[in-house]
Amino acid sequence: MPDDILPCDADLIARLSSMLPPAALLTGAAIDPRYQEDRRARFSAPPRLVIRPSSTAELSAALAACNDARQRLVIQGGRTGLSGAHRIQPAEAVLSLERMTGLDAPDPESRTIVAGSGVPLQRVQDAADGANLMFGVDIGSRGTATVGGIIATNAGGNRVIRYGMTRAQVAGLEVVLADGSVLSCMRGLEKDNSGYDLKQLFVGSEGTLGVVTRALLTLHAKPQFETNALLAMPSVEAAMALLQGLRSRLGETLSAFEFMTEDIYHGAASEAGVSDPLTTAGPIYVLAEIQSQQGQEAATDPFMESLSDAIENGLVLDAVIANSMREFLSLWEIRDSCADYVRRQEGVANGDISVPVGRIPDFLDESRRRLLKIDPASRFLTFGHLADGNLHYVFCTTRKEEAVACLMNLVSDFSGSISAEHGIGLDKKHWLPLARSAAEIETMKRLKIALDPNNILNSGRIFDP
Amino acid sequence: MPDDILPCDADLIARLSSMLPPAALLTGAAIDPRYQEDRRARFSAPPRLVIRPSSTAELSAALAACNDARQRLVIQGGRTGLSGAHRIQPAEAVLSLERMTGLDAPDPESRTIVAGSGVPLQRVQDAADGANLMFGVDIGSRGTATVGGIIATNAGGNRVIRYGMTRAQVAGLEVVLADGSVLSCMRGLEKDNSGYDLKQLFVGSEGTLGVVTRALLTLHAKPQFETNALLAMPSVEAAMALLQGLRSRLGETLSAFEFMTEDIYHGAASEAGVSDPLTTAGPIYVLAEIQSQQGQEAATDPFMESLSDAIENGLVLDAVIANSMREFLSLWEIRDSCADYVRRQEGVANGDISVPVGRIPDFLDESRRRLLKIDPASRFLTFGHLADGNLHYVFCTTRKEEAVACLMNLVSDFSGSISAEHGIGLDKKHWLPLARSAAEIETMKRLKIALDPNNILNSGRIFDP
């Protein structure tokens, strides 16, 4: 009987049953197949059992029991991760945060909100919106991705240029360590240098060092006005020049600068059911957004002037500026549909990579040249967050393995990152040495052993112990 | 012969001598007394030896040797720390970063600069300024405090309201661990989720986890215009109301909002040799600064209007707005002289504390009431960074020990921090349990053991092992 279908240790089940309410523990036939869901459609093993605590106390008790029994756990939020960290490995039990869904009202004075780790991102966004505030993290999977998941992966998304990654918006965390001890770092003071800032350890460590149970999230003033524009452009160089121009003219008002190559643009527009709003085609498309605390005119005038100048200078071939909330959302709908369109293509290879912003044009040239050499029929569907140097380097090829290896090595040559915002999980750990030195990986392992000596939390994610 | 004057292990000296150039190793009479300097004027032991590497390779080799010999090291930058982390303990050797002074030219494209950890803060500021950029960290000791020191203590200072603490401005770090291994996290990509963000560990850990050798620092666009205003105000509540008003009207243009009570204001002004520019006195003084990317009028008009309104509403009793660079600097000179004035008083007690911003008026009332009960002759010299909730709670008393204990316990009752920006060092570690739970302190110790198992780096700072 292979290890992956061995029943869970009966003593552990008995201990968990005695400490948890029935809804918090699923075994056998009661386990829904949804825990095996995976956006990359890779094999996810059946879990030995599913623990679904609804409080920090339950979670702490369950973790202590699993730690004593050396039961490995895979931690699951919304299962929207793209590197397989939530994918169940043989002999693992699931620790699902789906019932940690407490959400306080936003505090308008400190501009913060306390959210359970199982709360979907969109609920946080909506709660902030209802208090005339906003949460600065936004990703396409907002309806399903959870607070715990965006923290564990230090999610980036569409507005990093303005608000930073998730890390910049975590003012406090409550975390349970593998042995069940609870770290409450929830005071959220603007300034606090009383010992190590422990919460930083858990942001972006993909559930390997501890389990986030609650977070104190920083909110921002809701923009008084926002609009966006979709632009057809003659080249990546033109997009880079426009980005520089908008940044120096608009400063922090520029809140997104998203990039699509022509095939993905047309594919995503048809996926979204939006007819192309532009009359002139270009090899490159950009979706630029501004968010302002000033009135419509004060915000729009410099944006419009910048775009007019760019059209005059030949940087922009064609532009459409949203004139209504409906148009604003419809332009975002195109961008948000890129991932759905990609998911339906054949032979897709994927790299969530970043390179220093100034080197993007060279990187795109050189990578295309090399990938076409491997497979002259390669089809490029690259899109991403140009202002952050972050490309979702998607392409279709029949020689995937060789092509991705070529891409990742080139990223390394360009001093870039092999995972800009999706994390390493299971799927990218064999590439980690391209991004991090032996000394860095050794240090990660030392931290893992210090906080999870029995290696029960998301074992084998990021690196092998 | 007590341990503190035991000569250093001869084998270690021989090994260090063989690997380091003569300038990098001082022993015996060659050791200058400056290494024993301490701003708090407390006893600093004579060091066993002084290691002064001028490169990461030298520093790495020296650390490996000290680790093998179990030689404890105190790490020194500019020795301007206010919690004693750099103060030499018996049997320690000094690892001074004073020769790690490489400073690259700022990179205008990425808006970053690479600085050695021994570079004084002001050299970074000046280099940024010369490239039409600015570094967002500013503290009174800018001429002496070093890059390594501001990173190890996560320095705050005058413009946290606008640019954040030092952590927010560290894009990359090179760090040497106790065993000599070198971690280079210097790529500085905007987005990089390839494994743990190790550099976060070393910011604010006061030299206990590793030695920072170089940093990639984030710079900002140099403000096109800046000015400041000194205000006499009737109450702390008025200062809080003005702060709220300026924040909502000026947004991020507001770059400092410094607070002084009357005694410290008059003392600092006379210390600075500046005659009081205000004609009406108040119990409270505020120095507000704006920095803008817009022209003088666009920046000044809303600031002037806000202040006029505040005068009309009785929030401000008297105001002077700087009309020249000379006046601008002279107003800052008053604020910067607070620390010098305090240093010359008798019976000074000191708390670098923070509380949630909205609770500052209550905290000031309650603390004054309690401290006057302990010593009715207490004299208050409180000043600080009001917008961050950070008070340098200085007072003069003949019953210092009891009074400080009272203050620290009250801070804890207000969910505040016992060290907002100065760190814990040696001087505040007995207060740490007021700010951090047993589980948090235990976790800090686990990290210390993981990265410095022989406990040679700044041992006994923050917590006892």
Side-chain angles (χ1 to χ4, degrees):
Chain A
M1 207 177 200
D3 186 50
D4 57 331
I5 51 164
L6 263 183
C8 185
D9 178 70
D11 288 347
L12 175 61
I13 292 184
R15 188 171 164 197
L16 289 170
S17 303
S18 73
M19 61 173 53
L20 297 174
L25 184 65
L26 307 178
T27 56
I31 299 176
D32 190 279
R34 72 173 180 278
Y35 298 104
Q36 290 170 265
E37 283 169 0
D38 178 47
R39 294 221 167 177
R40 292 270 187 251
R42 299 202 181 150
F43 174 74
S44 190
R48 281 189 160 179
L49 71 164
V50 175
I51 303 169
R52 310 190 307 154
S54 67
S55 70
T56 302
E58 282 177 17
L59 194 147
S60 162
L63 263 188
C66 290
N67 192 46
D68 288 347
R70 309 291 190 267
Q71 174 58 55
R72 291 195 179 168
L73 298 165
V74 54
I75 303 154
Q76 291 193 347
R79 289 181 293 271
T80 57
L82 294 170
S83 301
H86 66 277
R87 199 184 299 134
I88 308 167
Q89 298 303 288
E92 286 183 337
V94 166
L95 174 58
S96 170
L97 299 165
E98 64 196 330
R99 294 174 69 234
M100 300 289 286
T101 51
L103 182 64
D104 292 357
D107 176 4
E109 192 176 34
S110 65
R111 288 186 180 167
T112 55
I113 188 168
V114 174
S117 52
V119 175
L121 170 57
Q122 189 153 10
R123 269 190 71 205
V124 176
Q125 293 176 336
D126 291 349
D129 191 68
N132 205 31
L133 293 166
M134 75 161 287
F135 185 51
V137 179
D138 189 38
I139 53 180
S141 56
R142 61 186 75 80
T144 313
T146 59
V147 165
I150 65 167
I151 291 169
T153 57
N154 186 28
N158 298 335
R159 297 195 178 97
V160 171
I161 178 177
R162 172 76 173 264
Y163 302 104
M165 305 284 280
T166 298
R167 184 183 301 278
Q169 289 155 90
V170 174
L173 282 185
E174 182 185 77
V175 176
V176 184
L177 300 185
D179 63 7
S181 52
V182 179
L183 298 183
S184 180
C185 314
M186 290 286 280
R187 288 185 306 181
L189 297 161
E190 308 254 343
K191 273 180 160 175
D192 184 9
N193 279 343
S194 53
Y196 305 167
D197 186 358
L198 295 174
K199 68 177 180 291
Q200 302 294 343
L201 270 172
F202 305 99
V203 181
S205 58
E206 304 188 39
T208 58
L209 297 178
V211 182
V212 172
T213 47
R214 289 194 306 152
L216 179 71
L217 301 170
T218 303
L219 304 176
H220 296 274
K222 182 151 94 181
Q224 295 308 299
F225 176 75
E226 58 186 358
T227 192
N228 59 10
L230 180 70
L231 316 168
M233 306 192 71
S235 65
V236 185
E237 286 79 0
M240 299 293 298
L242 178 65
L243 172 62
Q244 284 295 93
L246 288 177
R247 277 194 142 159
S248 62
R249 193 137 162 195
L250 308 179
E252 287 166 334
T253 308
L254 186 68
S255 50
F257 194 87
E258 300 287 301
F259 162 88
M260 292 166 275
T261 48
E262 55 187 332
D263 281 4
I264 184 82
Y265 167 71
H266 293 294
S270 92
E271 185 78 26
V274 175
S275 63
D276 188 347
L278 295 167
T279 49
T280 309
I284 299 293
Y285 292 82
V286 161
L287 179 63
E289 182 194 72
I290 57 167
Q291 291 186 331
S292 174
Q293 295 308 330
Q294 301 182 292
Q296 177 162 354
E297 263 178 46
T300 315
D301 286 358
F303 188 46
M304 302 281 266
E305 284 160 22
S306 302
L307 295 181
S308 297
D309 290 355
I311 290 170
E312 212 156 288
N313 300 338
L315 290 181
V316 170
L317 302 175
D318 194 6
V320 53
I321 297 171
N323 272 317
S324 66
M325 183 50 69
R326 198 183 53 74
E327 286 178 24
F328 174 83
L329 292 174
S330 141
L331 295 184
W332 266 119
E333 182 70 17
I334 298 175
R335 171 62 186 81
D336 279 349
S337 298
C338 287
D340 293 327
Y341 175 71
V342 165
R343 215 165 286 128
R344 294 198 301 102
Q345 306 310 301
E346 298 286 323
V348 168
N350 212 320
D352 163 39
I353 58 107
S354 70
V355 294
V357 181
R359 301 187 72 185
I360 286 181
D362 283 352
F363 177 80
L364 284 169
D365 277 353
E366 183 62 21
S367 57
R368 186 178 279 251
R369 202 181 59 75
R370 293 198 192 183
L371 294 172
L372 285 172
K373 209 165 152 190
I374 291 171
D375 175 4
S378 299
R379 179 175 161 239
F380 295 91
L381 299 171
T382 313
F383 62 104
H385 317 288
L386 198 69
D388 315 317
N390 178 194
L391 302 173
H392 296 304
Y393 203 108
V394 177
F395 59 109
C396 302
T397 176
T398 51
R399 297 176 65 187
K400 188 168 160 176
E401 200 168 330
E402 189 182 349
V404 172
C406 166
L407 181 70
M408 291 302 177
N409 279 286
L410 189 64
V411 166
S412 180
D413 293 345
F414 271 74
S415 304
S417 171
I418 56 153
S419 186
E421 58 176 13
H422 293 169
I424 299 295
L426 291 168
D427 297 343
K428 297 183 191 162
K429 66 180 172 179
H430 58 294
W431 299 120
L432 192 63
L434 282 179
R436 308 295 293 263
S437 69
E440 287 180 286
I441 295 171
E442 169 60 27
T443 304
M444 293 182 211
K445 290 182 183 179
R446 287 203 219 174
L447 296 173
K448 172 71 172 167
I449 291 170
L451 297 191
D452 179 17
N454 297 323
N455 189 26
I456 66 163
L457 298 178
N458 270 8
S459 173
R461 279 69 178 181
I462 306 181
F463 48 79
D464 286 313
Chain B
M1 207 175 197
D3 186 48
D4 56 331
I5 52 166
L6 264 182
C8 184
D9 180 73
D11 288 349
L12 175 60
I13 293 186
R15 189 171 163 197
L16 290 170
S17 302
S18 74
M19 62 175 51
L20 296 174
L25 184 64
L26 307 178
T27 57
I31 299 177
D32 190 279
R34 72 173 181 277
Y35 299 103
Q36 289 169 267
E37 281 169 1
D38 178 46
R39 293 221 167 179
R40 292 270 187 251
R42 299 201 182 153
F43 175 74
S44 190
R48 282 188 159 178
L49 71 163
V50 175
I51 302 168
R52 310 189 307 154
S54 66
S55 71
T56 301
E58 282 177 15
L59 195 149
S60 163
L63 262 188
C66 290
N67 191 46
D68 289 347
R70 308 292 189 266
Q71 173 58 56
R72 291 194 179 169
L73 296 166
V74 52
I75 303 153
Q76 293 192 346
R79 289 181 293 272
T80 58
L82 294 170
S83 301
H86 65 278
R87 199 184 300 134
I88 308 166
Q89 298 303 287
E92 286 183 337
V94 166
L95 174 57
S96 170
L97 299 165
E98 64 195 333
R99 296 172 70 233
M100 300 289 287
T101 50
L103 181 64
D104 291 359
D107 176 4
E109 191 175 35
S110 65
R111 288 187 180 167
T112 55
I113 188 168
V114 174
S117 52
V119 174
L121 170 56
Q122 189 154 9
R123 268 188 73 203
V124 176
Q125 293 176 337
D126 291 348
D129 192 70
N132 206 30
L133 294 166
M134 74 161 287
F135 184 49
V137 179
D138 188 38
I139 53 180
S141 56
R142 61 186 75 80
T144 314
T146 58
V147 165
I150 65 167
I151 290 169
T153 58
N154 187 27
N158 299 333
R159 296 197 179 94
V160 171
I161 179 177
R162 172 76 172 264
Y163 303 104
M165 305 283 282
T166 299
R167 184 182 302 278
Q169 291 154 89
V170 174
L173 282 185
E174 181 185 78
V175 177
V176 184
L177 299 184
D179 64 5
S181 51
V182 179
L183 298 183
S184 180
C185 313
M186 292 284 281
R187 286 184 308 179
L189 297 161
E190 309 254 344
K191 274 180 158 173
D192 184 10
N193 280 342
S194 54
Y196 304 167
D197 186 359
L198 295 174
K199 68 177 181 291
Q200 303 293 345
L201 271 172
F202 304 98
V203 181
S205 59
E206 304 188 39
T208 59
L209 297 178
V211 181
V212 172
T213 45
R214 289 195 305 153
L216 179 70
L217 300 169
T218 303
L219 304 176
H220 296 275
K222 181 151 96 182
Q224 295 307 298
F225 175 75
E226 59 185 356
T227 191
N228 59 9
L230 180 69
L231 315 168
M233 306 192 73
S235 66
V236 184
E237 286 79 0
M240 299 293 299
L242 178 65
L243 172 63
Q244 284 295 92
L246 289 177
R247 275 194 145 158
S248 63
R249 193 136 163 197
L250 308 179
E252 286 167 334
T253 308
L254 185 68
S255 50
F257 195 86
E258 299 288 299
F259 162 88
M260 292 166 273
T261 48
E262 53 186 333
D263 281 5
I264 184 82
Y265 167 70
H266 293 296
S270 90
E271 186 79 26
V274 174
S275 62
D276 189 349
L278 295 166
T279 49
T280 308
I284 300 293
Y285 293 82
V286 161
L287 179 63
E289 182 193 72
I290 57 167
Q291 292 187 331
S292 173
Q293 294 309 329
Q294 301 182 291
Q296 178 163 353
E297 264 178 44
T300 315
D301 288 357
F303 188 46
M304 302 281 267
E305 284 160 22
S306 302
L307 295 180
S308 297
D309 290 355
I311 290 172
E312 212 156 289
N313 299 338
L315 290 181
V316 170
L317 303 174
D318 194 6
V320 54
I321 296 171
N323 272 317
S324 65
M325 184 48 72
R326 199 182 54 76
E327 287 179 22
F328 174 83
L329 292 175
S330 141
L331 296 184
W332 266 119
E333 182 70 16
I334 298 176
R335 171 61 187 82
D336 278 349
S337 298
C338 288
D340 292 328
Y341 175 71
V342 164
R343 216 165 286 128
R344 293 197 303 100
Q345 306 309 301
E346 298 286 321
V348 169
N350 214 319
D352 164 40
I353 58 107
S354 70
V355 295
V357 180
R359 301 187 73 184
I360 286 181
D362 284 351
F363 178 80
L364 284 169
D365 277 352
E366 183 62 21
S367 57
R368 187 179 278 250
R369 202 181 60 73
R370 294 198 190 184
L371 294 172
L372 285 172
K373 210 165 150 189
I374 291 171
D375 175 3
S378 298
R379 180 175 161 238
F380 295 90
L381 299 172
T382 313
F383 62 103
H385 316 289
L386 198 69
D388 315 317
N390 178 195
L391 302 173
H392 296 304
Y393 202 107
V394 178
F395 59 110
C396 303
T397 177
T398 51
R399 295 177 65 186
K400 186 166 163 179
E401 202 169 328
E402 192 183 346
V404 171
C406 167
L407 181 70
M408 291 304 179
N409 279 287
L410 190 65
V411 166
S412 180
D413 293 345
F414 271 74
S415 304
S417 170
I418 57 154
S419 187
E421 57 175 14
H422 294 168
I424 299 294
L426 292 168
D427 297 344
K428 297 184 192 160
K429 67 181 172 178
H430 58 294
W431 299 120
L432 192 64
L434 282 178
R436 307 296 292 265
S437 69
E440 286 179 285
I441 296 172
E442 171 60 27
T443 304
M444 294 182 210
K445 291 182 184 179
R446 286 203 220 173
L447 297 173
K448 172 71 172 167
I449 291 169
L451 298 192
D452 178 17
N454 297 323
N455 189 27
I456 66 162
L457 297 178
N458 271 9
S459 172
R461 277 72 176 178
I462 306 181
F463 48 79
D464 286 314

